[in-house]
Amino acid sequence: MTEHLNPTPAIDSDHPAVRDFARAHDPGGSVRERAVALNLAVRDRIRYDPYRIDLSPQGMCASTALLQGHGWCVPKAVLLAAVARAAGIPARLGFADVKNHMSTEKLRRAMGGSDLFVWHGYTELWIDGAWRKATPAFNLSLCEKFGLLPLDFDGVHDSLYHPYDRAGQRHMEYVNQRGSFDDLPLEAIVRSFAEVYGDFGRHTPDGDFAADAARENATG
C-alpha cells in the first residue's frame, strides 16, 4: 500500500494545509469511521464549482482546492485522497464518464451543448480489506438548491451518484469506466477535454454556479 499512502505532486498529502485539515477532521476510532468523517468534511467544506476549472498542474492539486475553498469533482476527489493519505488511510483515484442531466444552461453552452462529463472523479479508500468508492463532489447546500439527494458514504458500500433526483427526474448516468489510478492522470484528462469540449477548461463560464443552479431548478 506504499503507493497509496505516499504524496504526489497532485495528491500533495504532505502539504501543511492538507495535513492540518486531516488532523482537524479525523475523529479517531476505526478506519471506517475516520474515512466517513474525512469524506464528509471534503464534501461539505469545499464548495463544488465547475465554473472555475484550472487544468494546470497547480490548479488540479489537492492543496489548491483546499486553500481556494472550492473545486469541481476531480480536484475534490484528489483532495479526499490527499487527506486520507495524510491520515494514514490508503487512497487512490477512480474515474468514469457520466451523463449529467442536471447541469446549468451556462455550463452546457461552455461544453458545446454536451451533457457528457468525461473523467468524472471519485476517490477509492482502502477500508476493512477492500476498496470503497466515495464521491465528495456535491456539497450538501448545493444538493438542497438543486433538488438532489446528497451522497452519503458509510465506509461499507460504494457511494456513487444517484440516477434520479428528489423529484424522480434523471440525474446521473455512468456510461464508461476509466479505471483506478494511483496518481492524477492529468495529461489524459487534458487531452480528452480538448477533444470533447474544445476550449472548455481554458474558457470556463463566469458567475455563480450555485445561484444559477438554484434559479434554473426553481423555474423548471
Side-chain angles (χ1 to χ4, degrees):
M1 286 296 166
T2 302
E3 67 272 25
H4 302 122
L5 287 169
N6 288 339
T8 72
I11 307 174
D12 52 349
S13 53
D14 55 346
H15 191 283
V18 173
R19 297 180 68 86
D20 288 346
F21 186 92
R23 282 193 294 267
H25 299 286
D26 184 346
S30 68
V31 170
R32 183 180 65 81
E33 292 167 331
R34 297 166 62 222
V36 167
L38 292 174
N39 173 77
L40 191 65
V42 172
R43 188 194 77 177
D44 290 342
R45 291 180 178 273
I46 308 300
R47 188 177 75 257
Y48 176 77
D49 189 351
Y51 283 5
R52 293 170 177 80
I53 290 179
D54 178 356
L55 292 176
S56 70
Q58 183 63 33
M60 295 289 281
C61 73
S63 59
T64 296
L66 178 57
L67 294 172
Q68 289 178 340
H70 63 77
W72 49 295
C73 64
V74 175
K76 291 191 69 172
V78 172
L79 177 57
L80 178 55
V83 298
R85 290 186 183 186
I89 301 172
R92 65 187 186 187
L93 301 172
F95 294 92
D97 298 341
V98 299
K99 282 196 172 184
N100 183 358
H101 299 271
M102 298 293 290
S103 184
T104 66
E105 179 60 30
K106 190 181 294 184
L107 185 58
R108 286 189 294 272
R109 286 200 307 268
M111 295 171 61
S114 177
D115 63 356
L116 179 67
F117 287 67
V118 297
W119 290 95
H120 155 67
Y122 52 88
T123 312
E124 298 182 354
L125 304 170
W126 185 257
I127 303 171
D128 297 334
W131 289 108
R132 307 297 184 190
K133 297 179 176 66
T135 306
F138 289 174
N139 48 290
L140 181 59
S141 61
L142 179 65
C143 290
E144 292 170 345
K145 290 178 180 178
F146 225 155
L148 302 178
L149 295 165
L151 270 181
D152 294 320
F153 178 61
D154 62 6
V156 177
H157 305 92
D158 290 338
S159 176
L160 299 172
Y161 280 131
H162 299 296
Y164 299 95
D165 65 9
R166 291 182 185 274
Q169 296 177 322
R170 174 69 74 176
H171 167 41
M172 196 73 69
E173 179 183 357
Y174 288 80
V175 297
N176 179 46
Q177 289 290 333
R178 290 188 179 265
S180 304
F181 298 80
D182 299 332
D183 196 7
L184 178 68
L186 183 55
E187 290 185 6
I189 293 172
V190 171
R191 185 167 56 249
S192 292
F193 270 50
E195 292 170 353
V196 177
Y197 309 122
D199 285 341
F200 185 69
R202 292 193 298 272
H203 304 290
T204 50
D206 295 322
D208 185 327
F209 174 76
D212 289 349
R215 182 170 55 254
E216 293 184 23
N217 184 58
T219 59

